[in-house]
Amino acid sequence: MAKGHHSKGDAIKGGKGHHARRKHYNLSNNFTNSFNLTKSGNITFIDASNLLYYIYEMPPEFSWRWPKNGTDCVDSGYLSHEHAELAGYGRPILPENGLFLTWHFSLFNSLFNRMKRSRRRTLDPEKASLFLLPYDLGLDGFMNPDTCATRRSCTPRLVKELEKTLRESPFFQRHAGADHAVLWSLGHYHPWPRSCDTFMKHTCTRCTYTCYWMDPTIPNNNFVSVPFPSGYHWWDGVRHVPWEARPSERNRTAVYLGSIKTLNPAHTKIRRAMTQQCNASEDCTWWQIGHSSVDASIADYLSLYKQSVFCLCPPGDDPARKAVFDALLSGCIPVIFEVATLFNQYPWHIGEDMALDIAVNIPGGQVRSGKLQFMPFLLSIPAEVVRSKQTAIRAIAPRLQYAMPPLHLLLNDSDPTVWDPPFRDGVDVTLDGMFNRAFHSVRKELSGIPKRTMKTAEWGKEYDRLIARKPRNTIQYA
Protein backbone atom coordinates (compact mmCIF):
# COMPACT_ATOMS: atom_id res chain seq x y z
CA MET A 1 0.00 0.00 0.00
CA ALA A 2 1.37 3.38 -1.00
CA LYS A 3 2.30 5.83 1.69
CA GLY A 4 0.88 9.31 2.06
CA HIS A 5 2.74 12.38 0.87
CA HIS A 6 4.34 14.29 3.74
CA SER A 7 7.24 16.66 3.92
CA LYS A 8 9.02 18.54 6.67
CA GLY A 9 10.39 20.92 4.07
CA ASP A 10 6.89 22.01 3.21
CA ALA A 11 5.81 22.22 6.83
CA ILE A 12 2.97 24.54 7.69
CA LYS A 13 4.47 26.97 10.12
CA GLY A 14 2.56 28.85 12.75
CA GLY A 15 2.32 32.57 13.07
CA LYS A 16 0.36 35.41 14.53
CA GLY A 17 -1.93 35.51 11.54
CA HIS A 18 -3.59 38.86 12.25
CA HIS A 19 -3.98 39.46 8.54
CA ALA A 20 -7.04 41.69 8.91
CA ARG A 21 -4.96 44.44 10.56
CA ARG A 22 -2.61 44.96 7.65
CA LYS A 23 -3.15 48.09 5.63
CA HIS A 24 -2.80 46.82 2.07
CA TYR A 25 -4.35 43.74 0.54
CA ASN A 26 -4.65 42.01 -2.75
CA LEU A 27 -8.40 41.55 -2.76
CA SER A 28 -8.66 39.70 -6.07
CA ASN A 29 -10.48 36.41 -5.68
CA ASN A 30 -7.57 34.46 -7.30
CA PHE A 31 -9.91 32.71 -9.73
CA THR A 32 -8.05 33.24 -12.98
CA ASN A 33 -8.25 31.77 -16.46
CA SER A 34 -5.15 29.66 -15.82
CA PHE A 35 -7.09 26.50 -15.06
CA ASN A 36 -9.15 24.17 -17.22
CA LEU A 37 -12.88 24.72 -17.56
CA THR A 38 -15.49 22.09 -18.41
CA LYS A 39 -19.23 22.43 -18.91
CA SER A 40 -22.12 20.21 -17.90
CA GLY A 41 -25.35 21.66 -19.21
CA ASN A 42 -25.35 25.33 -18.26
CA ILE A 43 -22.86 24.94 -15.41
CA THR A 44 -19.12 25.57 -15.74
CA PHE A 45 -16.73 23.53 -13.60
CA ILE A 46 -13.16 24.52 -12.83
CA ASP A 47 -10.09 22.40 -12.26
CA ALA A 48 -9.29 23.39 -8.68
CA SER A 49 -6.26 21.15 -8.19
CA ASN A 50 -3.81 24.09 -8.08
CA LEU A 51 -5.96 26.53 -6.12
CA LEU A 52 -5.18 27.33 -2.49
CA TYR A 53 -7.32 27.87 0.58
CA TYR A 54 -6.72 29.76 3.79
CA ILE A 55 -7.82 28.69 7.28
CA TYR A 56 -8.52 31.55 9.67
CA GLU A 57 -6.20 31.39 12.65
CA MET A 58 -8.36 31.01 15.73
CA PRO A 59 -7.52 29.69 19.23
CA PRO A 60 -7.63 25.87 19.56
CA GLU A 61 -10.83 25.98 21.60
CA PHE A 62 -12.75 26.81 18.40
CA SER A 63 -11.76 23.61 16.64
CA TRP A 64 -11.74 21.33 19.68
CA ARG A 65 -15.17 21.13 21.35
CA TRP A 66 -14.94 17.57 22.66
CA PRO A 67 -15.60 16.78 26.37
CA LYS A 68 -12.82 17.97 28.60
CA ASN A 69 -10.59 15.40 30.27
CA GLY A 70 -12.20 14.04 33.40
CA THR A 71 -15.74 14.84 32.27
CA ASP A 72 -18.23 12.09 33.14
CA CYS A 73 -19.83 10.97 29.85
CA VAL A 74 -21.14 7.62 31.12
CA ASP A 75 -24.77 8.74 31.24
CA SER A 76 -24.77 10.45 27.85
CA GLY A 77 -25.36 7.12 26.07
CA TYR A 78 -24.37 8.69 22.80
CA LEU A 79 -20.83 9.92 23.17
CA SER A 80 -17.74 8.86 25.06
CA HIS A 81 -14.16 10.01 25.44
CA GLU A 82 -13.17 7.13 23.15
CA HIS A 83 -14.69 9.06 20.24
CA ALA A 84 -12.35 11.98 20.90
CA GLU A 85 -9.17 9.91 20.70
CA LEU A 86 -6.74 10.43 17.80
CA ALA A 87 -7.86 14.03 17.23
CA GLY A 88 -11.51 13.02 16.88
CA TYR A 89 -11.19 10.00 14.58
CA GLY A 90 -11.86 7.76 17.56
CA ARG A 91 -10.17 4.89 19.34
CA PRO A 92 -8.50 2.31 17.07
CA ILE A 93 -10.61 -0.84 16.77
CA LEU A 94 -8.92 -2.76 13.95
CA PRO A 95 -6.37 -0.24 12.69
CA GLU A 96 -4.81 -2.76 10.31
CA ASN A 97 -8.22 -2.80 8.58
CA GLY A 98 -8.61 0.98 8.84
CA LEU A 99 -11.41 0.71 11.42
CA PHE A 100 -11.75 3.34 14.16
CA LEU A 101 -14.53 4.37 16.56
CA THR A 102 -15.54 7.40 14.50
CA TRP A 103 -18.63 9.17 15.79
CA HIS A 104 -21.65 10.01 13.63
CA PHE A 105 -20.90 13.71 13.94
CA SER A 106 -17.10 13.62 13.65
CA LEU A 107 -17.37 15.19 10.22
CA PHE A 108 -15.63 18.38 11.31
CA ASN A 109 -12.60 16.51 12.66
CA SER A 110 -12.42 14.17 9.65
CA LEU A 111 -12.24 17.18 7.33
CA PHE A 112 -10.26 19.61 9.47
CA ASN A 113 -7.42 17.24 10.41
CA ARG A 114 -6.72 16.70 6.72
CA MET A 115 -7.31 20.28 5.60
CA LYS A 116 -4.94 21.86 8.10
CA ARG A 117 -2.05 19.71 6.80
CA SER A 118 -2.74 19.63 3.08
CA ARG A 119 -0.37 21.04 0.46
CA ARG A 120 -3.37 23.01 -0.84
CA ARG A 121 -3.40 25.19 2.28
CA THR A 122 -1.71 28.58 2.23
CA LEU A 123 -0.82 30.80 5.17
CA ASP A 124 -1.14 33.88 2.98
CA PRO A 125 -4.80 34.89 2.55
CA GLU A 126 -3.91 36.98 -0.49
CA LYS A 127 -3.09 33.76 -2.36
CA ALA A 128 -6.32 32.03 -1.38
CA SER A 129 -9.41 31.40 -3.48
CA LEU A 130 -11.29 29.78 -0.60
CA PHE A 131 -11.47 30.51 3.14
CA LEU A 132 -12.31 27.98 5.86
CA LEU A 133 -13.65 28.80 9.32
CA PRO A 134 -12.10 26.43 11.91
CA TYR A 135 -15.04 26.39 14.33
CA ASP A 136 -16.83 23.13 15.16
CA LEU A 137 -20.17 24.80 15.72
CA GLY A 138 -22.07 21.52 15.28
CA LEU A 139 -20.44 19.77 18.22
CA ASP A 140 -20.26 22.97 20.27
CA GLY A 141 -23.97 23.58 19.75
CA PHE A 142 -25.13 20.14 20.82
CA MET A 143 -22.73 19.02 23.55
CA ASN A 144 -21.46 20.87 26.59
CA PRO A 145 -17.71 20.12 26.84
CA ASP A 146 -17.78 20.85 30.58
CA THR A 147 -20.52 18.33 31.42
CA CYS A 148 -20.89 16.06 28.35
CA ALA A 149 -24.60 16.86 28.44
CA THR A 150 -26.55 17.54 25.27
CA ARG A 151 -27.68 21.10 24.61
CA ARG A 152 -28.92 23.34 21.80
CA SER A 153 -26.77 26.39 22.25
CA CYS A 154 -23.33 27.37 21.00
CA THR A 155 -20.89 29.09 23.32
CA PRO A 156 -21.88 32.79 22.91
CA ARG A 157 -18.35 34.02 23.54
CA LEU A 158 -16.95 31.97 20.67
CA VAL A 159 -19.65 33.08 18.26
CA LYS A 160 -19.12 36.74 19.10
CA GLU A 161 -15.36 36.43 18.63
CA LEU A 162 -15.83 34.72 15.27
CA GLU A 163 -18.29 37.35 14.08
CA LYS A 164 -15.88 40.11 15.16
CA THR A 165 -13.06 38.43 13.22
CA LEU A 166 -15.17 38.31 10.08
CA ARG A 167 -16.36 41.90 10.43
CA GLU A 168 -12.72 43.00 10.52
CA SER A 169 -11.62 40.72 7.69
CA PRO A 170 -11.46 42.39 4.26
CA PHE A 171 -11.37 38.92 2.75
CA PHE A 172 -14.77 38.13 4.22
CA GLN A 173 -16.24 41.55 3.49
CA ARG A 174 -15.24 41.71 -0.18
CA HIS A 175 -17.82 39.07 -1.20
CA ALA A 176 -19.92 38.89 1.99
CA GLY A 177 -18.50 35.43 2.68
CA ALA A 178 -19.36 33.93 -0.71
CA ASP A 179 -15.92 32.32 -0.90
CA HIS A 180 -15.99 31.10 2.72
CA ALA A 181 -16.92 27.63 3.99
CA VAL A 182 -18.21 26.27 7.29
CA LEU A 183 -17.72 22.64 8.33
CA TRP A 184 -21.19 21.87 9.72
CA SER A 185 -21.34 18.29 11.04
CA LEU A 186 -25.12 17.87 11.10
CA GLY A 187 -28.07 17.87 8.71
CA HIS A 188 -29.41 20.83 6.77
CA TYR A 189 -32.48 21.10 8.99
CA HIS A 190 -30.97 19.79 12.21
CA PRO A 191 -32.12 22.46 14.69
CA TRP A 192 -29.59 25.25 14.53
CA PRO A 193 -28.26 25.89 18.05
CA ARG A 194 -28.86 29.26 19.69
CA SER A 195 -26.15 31.87 19.08
CA CYS A 196 -24.93 29.89 16.07
CA ASP A 197 -28.32 30.32 14.42
CA THR A 198 -27.87 34.09 14.12
CA PHE A 199 -24.38 33.52 12.69
CA MET A 200 -25.75 31.10 10.10
CA LYS A 201 -28.81 33.20 9.22
CA HIS A 202 -27.29 36.68 9.16
CA THR A 203 -23.48 36.72 9.21
CA CYS A 204 -22.58 33.80 6.95
CA THR A 205 -25.63 33.58 4.71
CA ARG A 206 -23.56 33.26 1.52
CA CYS A 207 -21.08 30.77 2.97
CA THR A 208 -20.92 27.15 1.84
CA TYR A 209 -21.93 24.66 4.55
CA THR A 210 -21.10 20.97 4.60
CA CYS A 211 -23.80 18.72 6.03
CA TYR A 212 -24.70 15.05 6.03
CA TRP A 213 -28.13 15.68 4.44
CA MET A 214 -29.28 18.57 2.21
CA ASP A 215 -32.69 19.70 1.01
CA PRO A 216 -32.74 18.67 -2.68
CA THR A 217 -35.71 20.91 -3.46
CA ILE A 218 -33.81 24.21 -2.99
CA PRO A 219 -32.10 25.58 -6.11
CA ASN A 220 -28.56 26.86 -5.71
CA ASN A 221 -28.38 25.41 -2.21
CA ASN A 222 -25.48 26.58 -0.06
CA PHE A 223 -25.84 23.50 2.18
CA VAL A 224 -24.11 20.63 0.39
CA SER A 225 -24.27 17.06 1.66
CA VAL A 226 -20.97 15.20 1.95
CA PRO A 227 -20.39 11.61 3.10
CA PHE A 228 -20.83 10.70 6.73
CA PRO A 229 -17.48 9.93 8.37
CA SER A 230 -17.40 6.15 8.20
CA GLY A 231 -15.58 4.10 10.77
CA TYR A 232 -13.18 3.17 7.97
CA HIS A 233 -10.25 5.46 7.14
CA TRP A 234 -7.27 4.85 4.90
CA TRP A 235 -4.01 5.63 6.71
CA ASP A 236 -0.34 4.77 6.31
CA GLY A 237 -0.63 1.68 8.50
CA VAL A 238 -3.63 0.03 6.82
CA ARG A 239 -2.96 -3.54 5.70
CA HIS A 240 -6.37 -4.76 4.54
CA VAL A 241 -8.48 -2.25 2.63
CA PRO A 242 -12.11 -3.21 3.43
CA TRP A 243 -13.67 -2.33 0.07
CA GLU A 244 -11.29 -4.67 -1.73
CA ALA A 245 -12.82 -7.78 -0.12
CA ARG A 246 -13.24 -10.56 -2.71
CA PRO A 247 -16.78 -11.54 -3.80
CA SER A 248 -16.02 -15.09 -2.64
CA GLU A 249 -15.87 -13.80 0.95
CA ARG A 250 -19.51 -12.68 0.75
CA ASN A 251 -21.51 -15.68 1.96
CA ARG A 252 -24.59 -13.72 3.03
CA THR A 253 -27.19 -12.30 0.65
CA ALA A 254 -28.61 -9.41 2.69
CA VAL A 255 -28.01 -7.95 6.13
CA TYR A 256 -29.54 -5.20 8.25
CA LEU A 257 -27.74 -3.70 11.23
CA GLY A 258 -29.99 -1.43 13.25
CA SER A 259 -33.16 -1.01 15.20
CA ILE A 260 -36.81 -0.37 14.33
CA LYS A 261 -37.47 2.81 16.27
CA THR A 262 -36.67 6.27 14.86
CA LEU A 263 -37.88 9.78 15.62
CA ASN A 264 -39.73 9.78 12.28
CA PRO A 265 -42.97 7.75 12.42
CA ALA A 266 -43.02 7.05 8.67
CA HIS A 267 -39.44 5.80 8.76
CA THR A 268 -40.20 3.62 11.79
CA LYS A 269 -43.03 1.96 9.83
CA ILE A 270 -40.67 1.25 6.92
CA ARG A 271 -38.17 -0.33 9.30
CA ARG A 272 -40.83 -2.42 11.02
CA ALA A 273 -42.15 -3.82 7.73
CA MET A 274 -38.64 -4.29 6.33
CA THR A 275 -37.40 -6.23 9.37
CA GLN A 276 -40.49 -8.44 9.31
CA GLN A 277 -39.72 -9.37 5.71
CA CYS A 278 -36.07 -9.86 6.54
CA ASN A 279 -36.87 -12.20 9.43
CA ALA A 280 -39.15 -14.22 7.16
CA SER A 281 -36.36 -14.88 4.65
CA GLU A 282 -33.53 -17.36 5.16
CA ASP A 283 -31.40 -15.13 2.90
CA CYS A 284 -31.62 -12.07 5.15
CA THR A 285 -29.90 -11.43 8.49
CA TRP A 286 -31.00 -8.79 11.01
CA TRP A 287 -28.73 -7.85 13.87
CA GLN A 288 -30.61 -5.51 16.15
CA ILE A 289 -28.39 -2.86 17.67
CA GLY A 290 -29.32 0.07 19.87
CA HIS A 291 -29.54 3.72 18.82
CA SER A 292 -26.10 4.52 20.17
CA SER A 293 -22.66 5.25 18.81
CA VAL A 294 -21.04 3.79 21.95
CA ASP A 295 -20.72 0.12 21.15
CA ALA A 296 -17.78 -2.16 21.77
CA SER A 297 -19.08 -4.69 19.21
CA ILE A 298 -18.78 -2.44 16.18
CA ALA A 299 -16.05 -4.60 14.62
CA ASP A 300 -18.31 -7.67 14.81
CA TYR A 301 -21.23 -5.76 13.35
CA LEU A 302 -19.31 -4.24 10.45
CA SER A 303 -17.75 -7.59 9.61
CA LEU A 304 -21.25 -8.62 8.49
CA TYR A 305 -21.15 -5.91 5.83
CA LYS A 306 -17.96 -7.42 4.40
CA GLN A 307 -19.67 -10.83 4.32
CA SER A 308 -22.82 -9.59 2.56
CA VAL A 309 -23.80 -8.82 -1.01
CA PHE A 310 -26.59 -6.38 -0.08
CA CYS A 311 -26.80 -4.06 2.94
CA LEU A 312 -30.26 -2.79 3.88
CA CYS A 313 -30.20 0.97 4.56
CA PRO A 314 -33.68 2.22 5.54
CA PRO A 315 -34.03 5.87 6.61
CA GLY A 316 -33.49 6.77 10.25
CA ASP A 317 -34.33 9.92 12.18
CA ASP A 318 -33.29 11.71 8.98
CA PRO A 319 -33.25 10.21 5.50
CA ALA A 320 -29.43 10.16 5.62
CA ARG A 321 -27.61 7.18 7.11
CA LYS A 322 -24.03 6.67 8.22
CA ALA A 323 -24.68 3.01 7.48
CA VAL A 324 -24.70 3.75 3.74
CA PHE A 325 -21.03 4.69 3.86
CA ASP A 326 -20.02 1.93 6.26
CA ALA A 327 -21.65 -0.44 3.77
CA LEU A 328 -20.04 1.06 0.67
CA LEU A 329 -16.61 1.10 2.28
CA SER A 330 -17.14 -2.57 3.13
CA GLY A 331 -17.82 -3.24 -0.56
CA CYS A 332 -21.49 -4.01 0.11
CA ILE A 333 -24.27 -2.86 -2.25
CA PRO A 334 -26.59 -0.50 -0.33
CA VAL A 335 -30.32 -1.12 -0.64
CA ILE A 336 -32.08 2.24 -0.36
CA PHE A 337 -35.71 2.66 0.76
CA GLU A 338 -35.97 6.48 0.58
CA VAL A 339 -34.84 8.59 -2.37
CA ALA A 340 -33.35 11.28 -0.12
CA THR A 341 -31.07 8.76 1.57
CA LEU A 342 -28.78 8.68 -1.46
CA PHE A 343 -30.14 9.41 -4.93
CA ASN A 344 -30.52 13.20 -4.62
CA GLN A 345 -27.67 13.69 -2.16
CA TYR A 346 -23.84 14.01 -2.16
CA PRO A 347 -23.51 15.94 -5.46
CA TRP A 348 -19.74 16.35 -5.17
CA HIS A 349 -18.88 12.78 -4.21
CA ILE A 350 -21.53 10.60 -5.87
CA GLY A 351 -24.40 12.31 -7.68
CA GLU A 352 -27.60 10.72 -8.93
CA ASP A 353 -26.18 8.83 -11.90
CA MET A 354 -23.39 7.21 -9.91
CA ALA A 355 -25.79 6.45 -7.05
CA LEU A 356 -27.94 4.43 -9.45
CA ASP A 357 -24.81 2.54 -10.53
CA ILE A 358 -23.79 1.46 -7.03
CA ALA A 359 -27.10 1.01 -5.19
CA VAL A 360 -30.50 -0.67 -5.41
CA ASN A 361 -33.72 1.30 -4.97
CA ILE A 362 -36.68 -0.21 -3.12
CA PRO A 363 -39.76 2.02 -2.72
CA GLY A 364 -40.10 2.14 1.05
CA GLY A 365 -43.73 3.26 0.93
CA GLN A 366 -44.70 0.05 -0.86
CA VAL A 367 -42.80 -2.03 1.70
CA ARG A 368 -44.50 -0.14 4.52
CA SER A 369 -47.97 -0.76 3.05
CA GLY A 370 -47.30 -4.44 2.43
CA LYS A 371 -47.62 -4.12 -1.36
CA LEU A 372 -44.03 -5.15 -2.04
CA GLN A 373 -41.82 -8.05 -0.94
CA PHE A 374 -38.25 -6.83 -1.48
CA MET A 375 -36.25 -10.03 -0.89
CA PRO A 376 -37.53 -11.86 -4.01
CA PHE A 377 -36.46 -8.82 -6.05
CA LEU A 378 -32.95 -8.79 -4.55
CA LEU A 379 -32.60 -12.51 -5.26
CA SER A 380 -33.68 -11.94 -8.87
CA ILE A 381 -30.95 -9.40 -9.70
CA PRO A 382 -28.63 -10.96 -12.31
CA ALA A 383 -25.14 -11.93 -11.13
CA GLU A 384 -23.63 -9.76 -13.86
CA VAL A 385 -25.38 -6.67 -12.44
CA VAL A 386 -24.19 -7.53 -8.94
CA ARG A 387 -20.59 -7.94 -10.08
CA SER A 388 -20.70 -4.66 -12.02
CA LYS A 389 -22.02 -2.79 -9.01
CA GLN A 390 -19.32 -4.30 -6.79
CA THR A 391 -16.68 -3.21 -9.30
CA ALA A 392 -18.10 0.31 -9.33
CA ILE A 393 -18.08 0.45 -5.52
CA ARG A 394 -14.43 -0.61 -5.35
CA ALA A 395 -13.56 2.15 -7.83
CA ILE A 396 -15.25 5.03 -6.02
CA ALA A 397 -14.78 3.90 -2.39
CA PRO A 398 -11.51 5.85 -1.83
CA ARG A 399 -13.29 9.15 -2.55
CA LEU A 400 -16.08 8.32 -0.07
CA GLN A 401 -13.81 8.03 2.99
CA TYR A 402 -11.68 10.60 4.79
CA ALA A 403 -8.06 9.50 4.91
CA MET A 404 -6.33 9.86 8.26
CA PRO A 405 -2.88 11.44 8.74
CA PRO A 406 -0.19 9.29 10.37
CA LEU A 407 -0.86 8.55 14.02
CA HIS A 408 2.26 10.32 15.24
CA LEU A 409 1.00 13.55 13.67
CA LEU A 410 -2.41 13.20 15.29
CA LEU A 411 -0.77 12.63 18.67
CA ASN A 412 1.43 15.72 18.28
CA ASP A 413 -0.64 18.62 17.04
CA SER A 414 2.37 20.93 17.17
CA ASP A 415 4.11 18.91 14.44
CA PRO A 416 3.57 21.04 11.32
CA THR A 417 4.34 18.37 8.70
CA VAL A 418 2.34 18.63 5.48
CA TRP A 419 0.54 15.40 4.59
CA ASP A 420 -1.79 14.20 1.84
CA PRO A 421 -2.84 10.65 0.95
CA PRO A 422 -1.53 9.10 -2.30
CA PHE A 423 -4.99 9.35 -3.95
CA ARG A 424 -7.98 11.70 -3.98
CA ASP A 425 -10.03 11.03 -0.88
CA GLY A 426 -13.29 12.52 0.35
CA VAL A 427 -11.51 15.61 1.65
CA ASP A 428 -10.00 16.40 -1.76
CA VAL A 429 -13.39 15.96 -3.42
CA THR A 430 -14.96 18.25 -0.81
CA LEU A 431 -12.32 20.92 -1.41
CA ASP A 432 -12.80 20.74 -5.18
CA GLY A 433 -16.53 21.21 -4.65
CA MET A 434 -16.01 24.15 -2.31
CA PHE A 435 -13.68 25.86 -4.79
CA ASN A 436 -16.25 25.40 -7.54
CA ARG A 437 -19.11 26.71 -5.45
CA ALA A 438 -17.01 29.73 -4.40
CA PHE A 439 -16.14 30.35 -8.06
CA HIS A 440 -19.84 30.63 -8.95
CA SER A 441 -20.98 32.27 -5.74
CA VAL A 442 -18.65 35.28 -5.98
CA ARG A 443 -20.06 35.81 -9.49
CA LYS A 444 -23.63 35.29 -8.28
CA GLU A 445 -24.02 32.42 -10.73
CA LEU A 446 -25.87 29.12 -10.35
CA SER A 447 -23.68 26.45 -8.78
CA GLY A 448 -25.53 23.45 -10.18
CA ILE A 449 -26.34 22.20 -6.67
CA PRO A 450 -28.57 20.32 -6.72
CA LYS A 451 -28.22 19.22 -10.34
CA ARG A 452 -31.97 18.62 -10.58
CA THR A 453 -34.49 20.54 -8.50
CA MET A 454 -37.87 18.93 -7.92
CA LYS A 455 -40.49 18.98 -5.21
CA THR A 456 -40.40 16.22 -2.62
CA ALA A 457 -43.52 14.58 -4.08
CA GLU A 458 -41.98 14.60 -7.55
CA TRP A 459 -38.82 12.92 -6.30
CA GLY A 460 -40.93 10.33 -4.49
CA LYS A 461 -43.03 9.61 -7.57
CA GLU A 462 -39.98 9.14 -9.81
CA TYR A 463 -38.40 6.65 -7.39
CA ASP A 464 -41.58 4.78 -6.51
CA ARG A 465 -40.31 1.74 -8.42
CA LEU A 466 -37.75 -1.01 -8.18
CA ILE A 467 -34.38 -0.04 -9.66
CA ALA A 468 -31.31 -2.26 -9.94
CA ARG A 469 -29.60 -1.13 -13.10
CA LYS A 470 -26.26 -2.24 -14.39
CA PRO A 471 -23.63 0.55 -14.19
CA ARG A 472 -23.66 2.51 -17.44
CA ASN A 473 -20.19 3.99 -17.44
CA THR A 474 -18.14 0.81 -17.34
CA ILE A 475 -14.90 2.58 -18.35
CA GLN A 476 -15.19 4.84 -15.30
CA TYR A 477 -15.20 1.83 -12.99
CA ALA A 478 -12.63 -0.33 -14.76
Side-chain angles (χ1 to χ4, degrees), residues 170-248:
F171 301 101
F172 183 84
Q173 296 300 324
R174 66 182 177 183
H175 298 302
D179 50 2
H180 284 54
V182 178
L183 308 181
W184 173 243
S185 295
L186 301 169
H188 187 165
Y189 292 135
H190 207 103
W192 294 356
R194 291 185 299 276
S195 295
C196 278
D197 59 348
T198 57
F199 168 78
M200 298 167 78
K201 291 177 182 176
H202 303 297
T203 303
C204 221
T205 55
R206 296 188 65 192
C207 298
T208 298
Y209 290 83
T210 63
C211 59
Y212 62 64
W213 182 85
M214 60 180 277
D215 187 340
T217 69
I218 298 177
N220 212 33
N221 202 336
N222 67 325
F223 278 77
V224 184
S225 55
V226 299
F228 272 93
S230 168
Y232 288 113
H233 305 273
W234 187 94
W235 66 292
D236 282 353
V238 71
R239 295 293 178 267
H240 310 287
V241 179
W243 55 84
E244 293 180 356
R246 294 186 298 272
S248 60

Side-chain angles (χ1 to χ4, degrees), residues 356-374:
L356 289 166
D357 283 353
I358 62 176
V360 171
N361 180 66
I362 302 289
Q366 293 188 37
V367 173
R368 181 181 65 195
S369 65
K371 294 180 180 179
L372 174 66
Q373 296 290 315
F374 69 87

Side-chain angles (χ1 to χ4, degrees), residues 193-446:
R194 291 185 299 276
S195 295
C196 278
D197 59 348
T198 57
F199 168 78
M200 298 167 78
K201 291 177 182 176
H202 303 297
T203 303
C204 221
T205 55
R206 296 188 65 192
C207 298
T208 298
Y209 290 83
T210 63
C211 59
Y212 62 64
W213 182 85
M214 60 180 277
D215 187 340
T217 69
I218 298 177
N220 212 33
N221 202 336
N222 67 325
F223 278 77
V224 184
S225 55
V226 299
F228 272 93
S230 168
Y232 288 113
H233 305 273
W234 187 94
W235 66 292
D236 282 353
V238 71
R239 295 293 178 267
H240 310 287
V241 179
W243 55 84
E244 293 180 356
R246 294 186 298 272
S248 60
E249 299 175 19
R250 301 187 183 278
N251 53 15
R252 298 175 184 270
T253 301
V255 65
Y256 171 54
L257 305 182
S259 62
I260 294 177
K261 187 177 181 180
T262 75
L263 297 178
N264 185 311
H267 295 172
T268 297
K269 292 177 181 178
I270 291 175
R271 288 186 174 209
R272 181 175 293 115
M274 183 201 73
T275 52
Q276 289 173 351
Q277 292 188 28
C278 181
N279 279 336
S281 172
E282 63 181 10
D283 295 300
C284 188
T285 302
W286 174 28
W287 274 31
Q288 187 167 1
I289 58 178
H291 190 66
S292 172
S293 62
V294 183
D295 201 316
S297 303
I298 185 173
D300 295 331
Y301 293 144
L302 292 185
S303 69
L304 284 177
Y305 282 169
K306 292 194 290 185
Q307 300 168 20
S308 303
V309 176
F310 299 105
C311 290
L312 308 183
C313 299
D317 297 341
D318 296 311
R321 293 290 312 283
K322 181 178 182 290
V324 171
F325 296 96
D326 286 331
L328 285 169
L329 292 172
S330 300
C332 188
I333 300 170
V335 180
I336 306 300
F337 294 81
E338 160 64 54
V339 59
T341 298
L342 180 63
F343 297 109
N344 54 21
Q345 299 294 311
Y346 315 110
W348 293 335
H349 296 75
I350 302 178
E352 185 177 10
D353 197 52
M354 189 178 291
L356 289 166
D357 283 353
I358 62 176
V360 171
N361 180 66
I362 302 289
Q366 293 188 37
V367 173
R368 181 181 65 195
S369 65
K371 294 180 180 179
L372 174 66
Q373 296 290 315
F374 69 87
M375 281 305 300
F377 175 71
L378 293 182
L379 292 169
S380 73
I381 298 175
E384 182 184 4
V385 174
V386 170
R387 288 193 297 270
S388 297
K389 286 183 177 293
Q390 291 171 335
T391 298
I393 289 171
R394 285 195 298 273
I396 72 164
R399 64 186 286 170
L400 303 182
Q401 58 83 48
Y402 304 115
M404 189 171 68
L407 301 189
H408 71 275
L409 296 180
L410 296 178
L411 296 173
N412 182 11
D413 194 55
S414 62
D415 188 328
T417 302
V418 171
W419 183 88
D420 287 289
F423 55 82
R424 291 180 75 243
D425 71 338
V427 177
D428 288 314
V429 177
T430 299
L431 285 168
D432 289 345
M434 287 178 171
F435 278 116
N436 268 276
R437 191 179 185 282
F439 173 81
H440 293 293
S441 187
V442 297
R443 290 164 173 74
K444 300 182 179 179
E445 300 171 346
L446 293 177

Side-chain angles (χ1 to χ4, degrees), residues 100-118:
F100 297 81
L101 189 64
T102 304
W103 192 34
H104 273 65
F105 305 135
S106 293
L107 180 58
F108 176 91
N109 301 93
S110 299
L111 294 171
F112 183 66
N113 281 308
R114 275 272 287 107
M115 290 175 171
K116 70 181 182 180
R117 295 187 179 279
S118 175

Side-chain angles (χ1 to χ4, degrees), residues 116-127:
K116 70 181 182 180
R117 295 187 179 279
S118 175
R119 60 174 175 78
R120 304 171 75 175
R121 178 186 177 186
T122 178
L123 296 180
D124 184 352
E126 295 182 357
K127 296 179 180 179

